[in-house]
Amino acid sequence: MQWEKTFIEDLQWDTILVEKRKGVGVITLNRPQALNALNSQLIAEINQALDQFERDAEIGCMVLAGSEKAFAAGADIKEMAELNFPNIYFDDFFHLADRIAQRRKPLIAAVSGYALGGGCELALMCDFIYCADNAKFGLPEVTLGVIPGIGGTQRLTLALGKAKAMEMCLTARQMGALEAEQSGLVARVLPKEELLAYTLEAAEKIAQRSLTATMMIKESINRAFEVSLSEGLRFERRTFHSIFATVDQKEGMKAFVEKRPAQFKNQ
């Protein structure tokens, strides 16, 4: 990947807010009139911002957040109501959403309030989720006569197991924050007033590490969902071996021996 400095704050966005903080790229969904419902423009702008962050040498971690009331309350039904099979199939509707989950740098979701339908699926595309104590997760698509379409049936099952995923998708039951943490859907539950600050602090900590190491960790963990244990172990071992060719490995271990903070250069 070719790293470069970008000037993302100079770009114009209609559905998101974008900023850089101490090595962290922050994207805030900004469709308050629709409770941040996902539409094609929003998905496109998220990807454009992530493209910039992925190319930015100063960014080591990314955060995706919503409002206190809603991370994203679903997909924009008004946009989809009149679609029919041929055009939604030929256009591969929402295919750009797949790119969000394919990012190489770590991506954290900060979920407060409603994360329903497409909003829940968007959070599941991130590497892990911190949520506020008022968070509500759910996939209510069955009440509209459709099914989840951007990974909900797949990622929710991987996160929760068959029983809970099947129940939530078939009954449209919403899951609260504490159950989400107990079930492994989220990494941590926080008071809603503290959610963003805690998420940014964690992201800044990740951004200070060797980017080579954090990207390799992300790739190795994701590999566990796609291959057998023996193949995953082989991938992890070879990746571990390869990182000894980096400057950051030498600096990290030297700093440990010398009892000082490491100064990583992503080399």
Side-chain angles (χ1 to χ4, degrees), residues 232-242:
L233 290 171
R234 188 176 298 111
F235 179 84
E236 178 192 73
R237 190 66 44 78
R238 293 295 176 259
T239 304
F240 169 74
H241 292 163
S242 69

Side-chain angles (χ1 to χ4, degrees), residues 170-188:
L170 291 178
T171 69
R173 179 177 76 85
Q174 295 180 16
M175 178 179 284
L178 293 180
E179 184 184 358
E181 183 181 34
Q182 293 166 356
S183 301
L185 181 63
V186 306
R188 198 171 299 276

Side-chain angles (χ1 to χ4, degrees), residues 8-28:
I8 197 162
E9 52 273 348
D10 295 333
L11 300 178
Q12 298 298 313
W13 312 97
D14 294 323
T15 64
I16 60 176
L17 303 175
V18 181
E19 59 182 317
K20 293 163 60 171
R21 300 188 190 184
K22 299 181 181 178
V24 177
V26 183
I27 300 171
T28 304

Side-chain angles (χ1 to χ4, degrees), residues 25-38:
V26 183
I27 300 171
T28 304
L29 308 186
N30 187 38
R31 297 189 71 214
Q33 74 285 356
L35 293 179
N36 293 331
L38 276 58

Side-chain angles (χ1 to χ4, degrees), residues 253-261:
M253 292 190 172
K254 183 179 180 182
F256 177 84
V257 172
E258 295 176 353
K259 295 181 172 57
R260 61 172 176 81

